[in-house]
Amino acid sequence: MNYVLPHIDKLEPYKSGAMPKDHERAIRIHLNESPYPPSPEVLAALQHTPADILHCYPDPQCTELRQALADLYEVESSQVFCGNGSSELIGLLFRTLIGEQRRVAIPYPSFALYENVAASFQSEVIRMPTAEDFSIDIDQLLACNADAIVLVNPNAPTGLLLPASEVERLARGFDGLVVVDEAYMEFVETDESVIPLIRELPNLLVMRTFSKAYALCGGRVGYVLGNSSLISAFDKGRNSYHLNTLTQRLALAALKDQQYMKSSAAAVRQTRDAFSRQLAELGFTVFPSQTNFVLCTPPADSRLTAFEWTERLMEQEIYVRYFNADRLRDKLRISIGTNEQMDRVITQLKAILNHKE
Ligand SMILES: *Cc1c(COP(=O)(O)O)cnc(C)c1O
């Protein structure tokens, strides 16, 4: 007797990157984590949190955090919803807005979690293939026959950015729901966010996270901005106490220190550009990234497959991301660490190239 619902039974569990044993020397550049700690304000909030938060339920509305986000983006707090990481928001998106048997178009390749969650809610995914260079064609998306479109911008795992004007053209030209996941937007030099448009467009949702530029992925906080009727759907669908008190406080502290977040993002950008140039000098093909990671193809004459590259690097306790998926099997995704870490990575890549026989 199988007690599991058929559509759940046939799911492949979402594969996150491997978790290295917490080893001093291990370089974790496979999960797009920040190489820097969160703001000192976050550490202070952690230290000054009284233990009595534990015997009281958290604020289920996340009132303060929502208001702080509303102030930052100059919208109403009814246009903001906070979740237990974007992962929870993606679940709520399918549960409350997309739904069973409805069609969602997603460029391919993109963030695989959307396809997994869609399958668990029995929504139908229409993969919209990107061009050879992974660029996304807005006209092709506009012509799709779907109830909703999910666009990750900048895209993951390609790192490519669409200008805000193109995303705007999509949101204005498409009748269905348009969800723009801006998890990496803080790393983009010129802000290409479409958040300001949520005041005007009733079909637009923009998702953000504290996991990347704010260095809070262990705390689990994401947020979504949109028209208040869309946001109220998230409130109706959520669990009663989904964001714990400590996390709410830490996110608030992180948000208040915009200066720190911006300077860590700028440091990541600088390291990324230098690392990308060094990769290219070694013969890697590097996709132009606007994020905290780079997608690259190892040199053809290295005679190693991308998977073998990940194995060789892992022997040196360097963890990079490999995707066993169409159009990505010959590539590596490498998150940007500190300058020192990336120097060690370049040194190891050179050593592997020189011992290829
Ligand atoms: C990392 C990432 C997120 C953030 O996920 P959390 O659940 O908030 O940690 C969201 N979207 C994309 C595309 C990402 O790569």
Side-chain angles (χ1 to χ4, degrees):
M1 181 73 198
N2 186 350
Y3 297 99
V4 181
L5 293 171
H7 73 281
I8 299 293
D9 202 32
K10 69 174 188 225
L11 288 183
E12 286 284 336
Y14 179 73
K15 289 193 194 72
S16 308
M19 288 289 172
K21 289 177 206 78
D22 212 1
H23 209 275
E24 283 262 305
R25 271 184 60 80
I27 299 186
R28 301 167 58 104
I29 45 175
H30 62 318
L31 296 172
N32 298 344
E33 295 163 333
S34 172
Y36 304 112
S39 154
E41 299 287 331
V42 174
L43 305 179
L46 188 60
Q47 273 159 5
H48 297 138
T49 296
D52 68 4
I53 63 157
L54 293 176
H55 70 234
C56 301
Y57 275 106
D59 170 10
Q61 323 282 358
C62 302
T63 315
E64 265 193 279
L65 184 56
R66 275 195 209 204
Q67 188 59 56
L69 286 162
D71 293 345
L72 180 66
Y73 294 112
E74 298 173 4
V75 298
E76 300 298 320
S77 64
S78 61
Q79 295 170 312
V80 186
F81 178 85
C82 301
N84 199 302
S86 312
S87 321
E88 183 192 22
L89 301 175
I90 295 169
L92 286 170
L93 169 72
F94 281 94
R95 187 186 326 179
T96 66
L97 292 168
I98 297 180
E100 253 177 68
Q101 317 311 334
R102 306 260 300 273
R103 294 153 62 93
V104 57
I106 308 179
Y108 183 87
S110 193
F111 189 37
L113 185 63
Y114 284 100
E115 293 197 9
N116 286 55
V117 176
S120 75
F121 287 99
Q122 296 180 275
S123 308
E124 185 187 334
V125 171
I126 307 170
R127 278 190 180 185
M128 307 295 285
T130 56
E132 184 74 27
D133 62 358
F134 293 131
S135 59
I136 292 170
D137 180 354
I138 291 296
D139 292 309
Q140 179 203 31
L141 282 176
L142 278 168
C144 78
N145 176 18
D147 301 291
I149 294 174
V150 171
L151 194 65
V152 178
N153 194 41
N155 197 12
T158 64
L160 303 188
L161 175 76
L162 275 171
S165 56
E166 280 293 276
V167 183
E168 174 168 0
R169 198 158 72 77
L170 176 70
R172 288 193 191 278
F174 186 72
D175 281 339
L177 188 67
V178 174
V179 181
V180 185
D181 181 336
E182 295 187 342
Y184 299 99
M185 192 56 83
E186 288 90 351
F187 298 104
V188 178
E189 195 143 22
T190 58
D191 187 8
E192 297 293 333
S193 175
V194 290
I195 289 176
L197 290 177
I198 64 118
R199 298 188 206 105
E200 192 189 333
L201 299 180
N203 63 330
L204 177 65
L205 282 171
V206 182
M207 249 191 261
R208 290 279 185 112
T209 181
F210 282 89
S211 293
K212 308 283 157 62
Y214 290 98
L216 263 189
C217 57
R220 314 302 307 127
V221 201
Y223 52 99
V224 57
L225 299 109
N227 181 285
S228 53
S229 69
L230 296 176
I231 294 302
S232 68
F234 281 84
D235 266 307
K236 290 173 186 172
R238 67 172 167 78
N239 290 336
S240 35
Y241 300 105
H242 60 144
L243 256 191
N244 73 68
T245 309
L246 183 60
T247 285
Q248 292 187 38
R249 285 178 175 232
L250 300 185
L252 200 55
L255 193 69
K256 284 191 174 145
D257 200 349
Q258 287 296 302
Q259 177 66 40
Y260 179 90
M261 181 277 285
K262 286 181 184 164
S263 63
S264 346
V268 166
R269 268 203 301 275
Q270 207 168 40
T271 308
R272 175 195 70 206
D273 294 346
F275 179 70
S276 301
R277 279 194 298 273
Q278 289 173 299
L279 273 182
E281 282 164 17
L282 294 182
F284 285 68
T285 307
V286 186
F287 292 85
S289 169
Q290 297 274 353
T291 61
N292 66 341
F293 59 84
V294 290
L295 186 71
C296 60
T297 317
D301 65 2
S302 73
R303 297 188 195 182
L304 294 173
T305 63
F307 184 70
E308 286 164 343
W309 274 95
T310 63
E311 289 183 318
R312 298 288 174 92
L313 287 167
M314 215 185 296
E315 287 163 13
Q316 302 301 320
E317 293 173 278
I318 296 172
Y319 291 79
V320 301
R321 188 71 194 263
Y322 171 75
F323 297 97
N324 185 11
D326 286 353
R327 299 179 63 190
L328 297 172
R329 277 186 195 91
D330 60 339
K331 301 191 171 19
L332 304 174
R333 191 197 68 189
I334 306 179
S335 313
I336 302 304
T338 61
N339 284 327
E340 295 69 31
Q341 288 176 322
M342 300 327 275
D343 286 346
R344 228 180 93 196
V345 174
I346 289 291
T347 304
Q348 284 307 328
L349 292 174
K350 281 184 187 159
I352 296 168
L353 273 175
N354 293 335
H355 294 96
K356 60 197 178 198
E357 301 311 331

